Amino acid sequence: MSRYVYTYFLDPATSLPETQCVARTSAEDIASDNCFRSVHWSPDGQSLAASNEDNALRIYDYQPAEGEQKQLEPRLTIAHGETLTAYRWYPYMSTSDPATCCIAEATRDQPIHIRDSNSGAVRASYAAYSAHETLMTAGAVAFSWDGAKILAGYAGHLAQFDVQRPGLPVDTGATTPSRRSKEGMKGVVSCIAPRNNDTRTMACASFSGHLSVRLQADIKAAELVWAFPEEYGGRRGIDHLAWSPDGGLLWA
């Protein structure tokens, strides 16, 4: 893990990064023991959201500039009392439209929140409960491709929330028939990736090394379940998924 966030210029002829770093954070902004966990570009390419070891979510503005290396300074720091487990930008976020400037985030023992990325204020909250009526912690969160739903993954469960109806999910489903069953997708859901330009299909994976492709209309039923092969050196958790632009390939 790194203490810095870097952005690099890409050579359009080769698509390979040059050695020139065009922007980076300052060592003074982040403590020596506070590394970055992850970083995500905003859909409009003008902001970065980064999570740190101190459980804060920091928002950086980025404007390309010729010449000197640009210094990235956090415009907003959102502190959390518990572990920040997942966060995603609203897919149609545009800096010019403040109503779209928001992030869905999940923290341990808390509902999912939609936060304003300009003020840090909570706009809405969404909660899913177990069969024992205890609040579940989301290990993964994503917006549907059209931005109308929040897709969330928990320990052995998936849920869908209507963005316009904060509160309880509109649909839930277990990722395996039972705890003892060897079928389905086991473990805590670690990442969710809606298929590009597709409001029906999504992929999700778990820290136990399982991957499934599902229809959002019926998240209980998996079209495909794949387990990390033992011959790869033992079961490995999957912590990132991404579809190719045409939706024909899925990287894990």
Side-chain angles (χ1 to χ4, degrees):
M1 294 185 180
S2 172
R3 290 177 53 205
Y4 306 102
V5 172
Y6 298 92
T7 59
Y8 288 92
F9 173 76
L10 293 178
D11 183 348
T14 64
S15 296
L16 297 176
E18 295 184 347
T19 56
Q20 178 190 5
C21 175
V22 296
R24 59 167 287 177
T25 57
S26 168
E28 288 73 26
D29 291 337
I30 304 296
S32 59
D33 59 348
N34 187 26
C35 59
F36 286 92
R37 290 177 174 172
S38 62
V39 62
H40 296 292
W41 282 105
S42 63
D44 68 354
Q46 297 188 34
S47 299
L48 291 160
S51 67
N52 292 80
E53 195 68 22
D54 63 357
N55 295 323
L57 184 65
R58 291 174 170 83
I59 308 298
Y60 298 86
D61 289 333
Y62 173 72
Q63 294 292 336
E66 297 291 337
E68 295 183 1
Q69 183 182 106
K70 181 178 176 62
Q71 194 76 29
L72 292 174
E73 297 181 358
R75 170 175 54 79
L76 176 68
T77 299
I78 304 172
H80 300 87
E82 296 291 345
T83 303
L84 179 66
T85 57
Y87 62 100
R88 285 294 183 272
W89 288 96
Y90 177 66
Y92 297 100
M93 178 271 185
S94 173
T95 303
S96 62
D97 184 0
T100 66
C101 296
C102 59
I103 292 177
E105 62 166 29
T107 54
R108 188 176 66 183
D109 298 329
Q110 293 289 325
I112 294 169
H113 297 306
I114 288 185
R115 285 191 182 268
D116 190 302
S117 60
N118 290 322
S119 68
V122 174
R123 292 186 181 178
S125 299
Y126 308 83
Y129 294 85
S130 69
H132 303 290
E133 298 184 353
T134 58
L135 179 67
M136 295 192 293
T137 296
V141 64
F143 282 97
S144 59
W145 184 257
D146 59 4
K149 295 179 180 178
I150 292 176
L151 310 172
Y154 303 86
H157 287 82
L158 292 166
Q160 291 189 80
F161 300 89
D162 186 333
V163 171
Q164 300 298 326
R165 293 169 54 191
L168 299 176
V170 295
D171 189 19
T172 60
T175 58
T176 184
S178 68
R179 283 189 175 183
R180 296 183 179 181
S181 174
K182 295 183 179 180
E183 303 297 324
M185 192 176 74
K186 309 289 286 186
V188 176
V189 178
S190 56
C191 45
I192 297 175
R195 190 166 179 255
N196 296 339
N197 296 307
D198 187 346
T199 59
R200 300 174 302 167
T201 310
M202 70 177 189
C204 53
S206 70
F207 286 119
S208 63
H210 292 84
L211 185 154
S212 68
V213 176
R214 297 168 184 264
L215 294 177
Q216 293 179 34
D218 185 10
I219 59 175
K220 302 178 184 66
E223 288 192 334
L224 172 67
V225 175
W226 177 85
F228 203 98
E230 294 291 344
E231 56 266 29
Y232 285 12
R235 187 63 54 78
R236 306 294 175 88
I238 300 171
D239 61 7
H240 187 72
L241 291 173
W243 290 94
S244 61
D246 64 357
L249 296 173
L250 177 65
W251 286 287

